[in-house]
Amino acid sequence: MTRCFLMLKPGVINRRLAGEVINRLEKKGLKIVGIKMMHISQEMAEMHYAEHKGKSFYESLVDYITSGPVIALVVQADDCVPLVRKLVGSTSPLEAMPGTIRGDYCTHMNHNIIHASDSDESAEREIKLWFKDNEIFDWHDSCTGWY
């Protein structure tokens, strides 16, 4: 089992899509082991997107994710990161396939509705940034093996 970090961005909250997105994650069989709603600070946003500092979209990205509440999640499954990336879809709304979360709900790159770790290393870093150890709950899932 591996883990992936996801962030439902302010657009999800404003459009009342949080339940729909979380439902899709759970229907796929992903086990939610951490979840919280929060307003993130400028400093936290800058730490999260540090690898994009200096890029043309960096400031607007930080402004967007600090503009309202987000929902931070940690999910767990076999091959979790690649599985989540397929479910979430391409970052570009023009390339995101229908049936993916971005393909079904995103139209603008600047207002992408979801962030998902892009590697196991990123997932580990992001989970440590967003969650304390005591906020992760690896509970017994009686459905393990059915998905």
Side-chain angles (χ1 to χ4, degrees):
M1 291 278 179
T2 58
R3 292 180 175 162
C4 185
F5 172 78
L6 294 114
M7 175 186 13
L8 307 186
K9 297 181 182 182
V12 171
I13 311 303
N14 285 307
R15 292 172 58 198
R16 286 24 174 212
L17 294 172
E20 172 68 21
V21 172
I22 292 168
N23 186 33
R24 289 174 74 159
L25 299 170
E26 288 187 310
K27 279 184 176 178
K28 184 64 175 176
L30 298 167
K31 180 177 168 182
I32 297 173
V33 295
I35 186 169
K36 59 184 171 179
M37 183 179 212
M38 58 196 290
H39 276 281
I40 60 172
S41 67
Q42 181 86 11
E43 179 184 25
M44 174 70 130
E46 290 172 359
M47 285 190 292
H48 179 77
Y49 285 119
E51 73 269 13
H52 297 303
K53 192 166 185 148
K55 295 179 182 174
S56 61
F57 58 86
Y58 175 76
E59 292 297 326
S60 64
L61 182 59
V62 169
D63 289 345
Y64 174 50
I65 65 168
T66 57
S67 68
V70 300
I71 296 175
L73 296 118
V74 179
V75 296
Q76 182 174 292
D78 290 332
D79 300 314
C80 196
V81 170
L83 182 64
V84 167
R85 298 293 294 180
K86 282 196 178 279
L87 187 62
V88 167
S90 177
T91 304
S92 168
L94 296 175
E95 296 173 14
M97 297 297 295
T100 66
I101 293 169
R102 289 177 177 146
D104 290 348
Y105 301 114
C106 288
T107 57
H108 300 288
M109 187 84 134
N110 292 350
H111 290 132
N112 200 323
I113 66 165
I114 191 167
H115 166 86
S117 302
D118 61 5
S119 67
D120 288 336
E121 295 77 23
S122 291
E124 188 176 329
R125 180 185 70 80
E126 292 169 349
I127 291 167
K128 286 180 182 176
L129 179 64
W130 289 81
F131 286 85
K132 297 174 184 154
D133 288 342
N134 67 352
E135 295 175 318
I136 306 287
F137 302 93
D138 190 4
W139 48 278
H140 173 70
D141 185 352
S142 61
C143 289
T144 300
W146 290 101
Y147 292 97

